[in-house]
Amino acid sequence: MNQARAVVIVAAELRLFLRPGRRGGPVAVALDGTSSLGHVVESLGVPLTEAGRLLVNGELAAPGYRPRNADVVTVGAVRRPQRLAAARFVLDVHLGTLARRLRLAGVDAAYVNDTGDDALIEQANAGRRVLLTQDRGLLRRRALWLGAYVRGARPDDQFRDVLDRFRPPLAPWTRCPACNGLLAPVAKAAVAAMLRPGTRRTYQTFSRCDSCGQVYWHGAHSERLEQIIDSAVRAVSTGASG
């Protein structure tokens, strides 16, 4: 007796998750009669966090549907922008530069460089934060309420991808790049003892992190940071108008 099979058509944007030999077109998948549609999709390597509409024979289907012989399954990508009730994120340990860039743009981005997978999921769930990661296995963890795969090997590409996907509201220079705390203006006299003589002579406007106490000012490094912020503003505004 021949085993039941379904044909799965994966959106072009999601084919990076498939094995190289399966990226050219529809994929035939053997069915065991018990696995759900969600399990079938993830067995191909596509985390459900990245899947948008699921169609079976042209009709919308839930992840819990059990595919039958000769079903034609279409897996769409998540529609962009993906709207969130609140744009809060937690990043895994490999995305430290991305975390700092999001904070620079004023996006709430929690990050610790030695957090384990279980703690990341707990933090994401407790704070209703989207877990940003490039670990596909982590995205397939059933306990995780919401996650997203970050595309790109370079921080510039990763930053652009997150902004394009979620279009978070930006508030540049309002968060501490070091700890994600909120920045507040502070009088120069209140922080003068913490400054080097050259900084005291040259700069007049300062802010301080309410959480870790780090002091910031627009110094010689600001031009590069302004470029990062400008690119973020352009990315979000261009995407919003497109």
Side-chain angles (χ1 to χ4, degrees):
M1 182 176 178
N2 293 330
Q3 184 173 15
R5 292 181 178 274
V7 173
V8 182
I9 302 169
V10 177
E13 304 96 308
L14 299 177
R15 290 178 189 167
L16 78 159
F17 296 110
L18 305 180
R19 294 204 308 266
R22 289 180 161 180
R23 294 175 183 172
V27 180
V29 178
L31 303 175
D32 59 14
T34 60
S35 294
S36 67
L37 177 58
H39 177 82
V40 169
V41 171
E42 291 201 323
S43 73
L44 292 174
V46 180
L48 285 182
T49 59
E50 309 311 299
R53 295 201 312 169
L54 301 177
L55 304 179
V56 175
N57 303 322
E59 301 290 333
L60 282 173
Y65 170 82
R66 290 184 180 178
R68 297 185 287 243
N69 187 45
D71 276 349
V72 177
V73 176
T74 303
V75 183
V78 169
R79 291 188 62 182
R80 298 188 176 209
Q82 183 177 352
R83 301 300 185 187
L84 301 172
R88 294 193 295 266
F89 303 94
V90 56
L91 289 79
D92 81 5
V93 297
H94 305 293
L95 298 174
T97 300
L98 174 60
R100 289 188 291 274
R101 292 192 180 192
L102 289 170
R103 293 167 177 176
L104 182 65
V107 178
D108 187 346
Y111 170 81
V112 179
N113 64 6
D114 59 354
T115 304
D117 289 354
D118 290 342
L120 279 171
I121 291 173
E122 183 178 351
Q123 186 175 9
N125 294 348
R128 278 302 188 253
R129 293 176 177 272
V130 180
L131 175 57
L132 301 180
T133 182
Q134 292 185 323
D135 183 338
R136 304 174 194 184
L138 189 53
L139 291 175
R140 292 197 291 267
R141 295 276 290 270
R142 291 289 178 261
L144 177 63
W145 88 285
L146 185 58
Y149 181 83
V150 177
R151 298 169 186 245
R154 300 185 307 123
D156 286 348
D157 298 329
Q158 295 167 358
F159 190 40
R160 190 179 305 112
D161 179 62
V162 172
L163 295 175
D164 176 70
R165 177 164 177 171
F166 295 104
R167 311 269 170 80
L170 305 182
W173 308 110
T174 62
R175 286 193 174 271
C176 176
C179 80
N180 198 44
L182 293 174
L183 301 181
V186 62
K188 181 178 180 178
V191 296
M194 302 171 62
L195 306 175
R196 293 182 177 179
T199 302
R200 285 198 299 269
R201 289 194 303 269
T202 307
Y203 301 102
Q204 306 303 320
T205 303
F206 299 88
S207 59
R208 182 165 54 191
C209 175
D210 289 339
S211 297
C212 72
Q214 178 71 40
V215 176
Y216 294 93
W217 61 94
H218 286 238
H221 60 287
S222 294
E223 183 176 353
R224 171 59 180 154
L225 301 183
E226 290 284 6
Q227 290 173 353
I228 293 172
I229 290 173
D230 288 346
S231 71
V233 171
R234 285 197 304 272
V236 171
S237 61
T238 300
S241 62

